[in-house]
Amino acid sequence: MKCRTCGGKAAVNMRQHKLALCKEHYLEWIPGQVERFIEKYAMFTRQEKILVAVSGGKDSLSLWDILQRLGYQADGLYICLGIDEGIHYSSESQRLTEAFAVANGLKLHVVDIQKEYGQTVPEYAHRTHRGQTKPCSVCGLIKRHEMNRVARDLGYDVLATGHNLDDEAATLFGNTLTWSGDYLLRQGPVLPGTPGLARKVKPLCRLYEREMLAYALLRGIDYIYDECPFAEDATSIYYKELLNRLENDRPGVKLSFYLTFLEARRNGLFADREQVAAELHPCPRCGQPTSSDGLCSFCKMTDRLGAATTVKEG
Ligand code: AMP
Ligand code: FES
Ligand code: ZN
Ligand code: ZN
């Protein structure tokens, strides 16, 4: 297989794009694609301050690397969840994220959930009915809340996460199986900001997980190989496997599933639900938008578990 650009030996072959590239041209092609998506979906400009949520995994570290190479002003945010499970998951991913920041001269904010709120994510999960089996839903709630809080308190214009196409297609697949209109309405490359809440963007949403893996490896990015120990048999992993089987038989189907969804929505597929999104209002304690009458889910949880007095909100 030969590189389409220079005719040299190809390092990556992408059947879904009928495109093979050598290492050098692949490492140029990926940032070029990301730049194209940033502009196409009007994610942010070079004048705006970007906060990248970095987990220490290949996607978010690569995203930070790409944004830096493209000349955007992007600082990092690492949230230490306190997940150990015998493999030092959180401390190891924090170490790798900090090492990346130092090596590249980048600014990293670190939020330690235990220091900030008095308990780790697994402890929180254990103490709420939400986490009877696994801490993932509590974890997601806490991560979202903290990302929003830090972005708002520190004055960032936009919050970027490392979700890739496989993540987005699996989420879409799950939401489609249940026709979850509210989720389908909100899922996409850009979630516009509201007063007090930064815009959220996913610059890698059109890149296959395999493409991000190849980027991280060819760039020599040192990332955490382990998945979160609680995520092993999550439904989303199962959906990803199903979609990979489809993709194997029909290269490109994952991308077209996602893109045709975005197009259908642009054409008004969920127009009658847009009202629902407009009904969010600010949580009386933390100010983040919520659809519930009183406190938002995060504040309800911290309230119930008696950690509210240690909550530091700006
Ligand atoms: P996940 O929900 O683990 O698939 O992660 C999706 C995205 O959320 C990642 O690509 C990161 O941008 C962000 N993220 C996940 N975990 C963390 C964390 N502990 N700290 C900061 N950002 C995170
Ligand atoms: Fe949150 Fe696994 S439970 S990352
Ligand atoms: Zn080449
Ligand atoms: Zn709240």
Side-chain angles (χ1 to χ4, degrees):
M1 195 69 65
K2 287 199 160 81
C3 170
R4 183 200 276 177
T5 310
C6 68
K9 188 174 178 297
V12 186
N13 178 28
M14 293 167 284
R15 281 170 71 205
Q16 64 278 14
H17 305 309
K18 298 193 177 61
L19 175 65
L21 292 169
C22 70
K23 173 177 170 179
E24 182 195 340
H25 289 117
Y26 187 74
L27 290 178
E28 276 173 20
W29 182 78
I30 289 281
Q33 291 293 100
V34 174
E35 174 97 299
R36 199 162 71 82
F37 305 146
I38 291 170
E39 285 169 8
K40 180 179 168 65
Y41 298 109
M43 292 186 181
F44 44 75
T45 64
R46 285 198 169 64
Q47 282 69 48
E48 288 182 301
K49 274 180 70 192
I50 304 155
L51 183 65
V52 187
V54 190
S55 66
K58 63 181 189 319
D59 302 298
S60 48
L61 280 176
S62 295
L63 172 61
W64 205 9
D65 178 72
I66 292 165
L67 293 180
Q68 180 205 196
R69 289 181 65 198
L70 290 171
Y72 288 98
Q73 308 177 46
D75 297 342
L77 166 66
Y78 176 80
I79 303 168
C80 181
L81 307 163
I83 296 173
D84 186 285
E85 294 299 295
I87 58 165
H88 310 298
Y89 177 71
S90 288
S91 50
E92 192 53 17
S93 47
Q94 180 169 352
R95 184 184 68 76
L96 291 165
T97 306
E98 286 175 342
F100 182 89
V102 169
N104 292 280
L106 294 167
K107 183 169 178 182
L108 176 70
H109 305 283
V110 175
V111 171
D112 186 321
I113 298 299
Q114 184 170 32
K115 284 192 195 131
E116 201 82 9
Y117 299 104
Q119 35 203 327
T120 65
V121 166
E123 284 165 359
Y124 259 125
H126 195 70
R127 296 186 56 203
T128 68
H129 62 277
R130 284 167 175 272
Q132 257 171 6
T133 47
K134 291 192 167 203
C136 303
S137 69
V138 168
C139 176
L141 174 68
I142 293 177
K143 278 195 287 199
R144 271 193 306 281
H145 188 273
E146 289 303 288
M147 287 178 197
N148 287 333
R149 180 178 68 86
V150 174
R152 179 194 65 189
D153 289 0
L154 301 183
Y156 286 93
D157 300 296
V158 46
L159 175 73
T161 54
H163 293 92
N164 59 38
L165 175 65
D166 293 47
D167 298 324
E168 293 305 284
T171 303
L172 177 60
F173 190 69
N175 288 338
T176 307
L177 281 179
T178 49
W179 291 110
S180 304
D182 296 350
Y183 289 110
L184 290 168
L185 184 65
R186 290 162 56 84
Q187 192 189 344
V190 178
L191 192 60
T194 49
L197 197 67
R199 172 160 80 249
K200 277 190 190 161
V201 299
K202 299 171 182 168
L204 307 181
C205 66
R206 287 177 58 160
L207 290 166
Y208 282 72
E209 154 143 46
R210 196 177 152 265
E211 294 169 356
M212 293 319 300
L213 177 63
Y215 181 85
L217 293 175
L218 292 175
R219 265 300 269 174
I221 292 173
D222 204 4
Y223 64 89
I224 184 148
Y225 296 113
D226 291 308
E227 291 283 336
C228 166
F230 295 111
E232 264 156 26
D233 60 357
T235 321
S236 76
I237 295 184
Y238 174 59
Y239 292 159
K240 283 182 183 175
E241 281 169 13
L242 289 177
L243 290 165
N244 280 338
R245 279 163 60 183
L246 259 178
E247 178 77 22
N248 204 31
D249 296 334
R250 294 168 53 196
V253 68
K254 224 185 273 180
L255 184 58
S256 74
F257 176 52
Y258 184 60
L259 292 183
T260 50
F261 156 70
L262 294 182
E263 192 185 338
R265 194 178 51 191
R266 240 189 346 264
N267 292 336
L269 183 63
F270 297 103
D272 59 335
R273 295 205 73 95
E274 264 153 34
Q275 190 56 29
V276 176
E279 283 163 12
L280 296 177
H281 59 86
C283 164
R285 178 173 298 151
C286 72
Q288 292 192 20
T290 173
S291 56
S292 64
D293 280 341
L295 297 178
C296 76
S297 330
F298 177 88
C299 291
K300 267 187 205 142
M301 180 180 77
T302 46
D303 220 22
R304 201 166 57 237
L305 299 182
T309 48
T310 67
V311 174
K312 295 185 208 129
E313 307 251 34

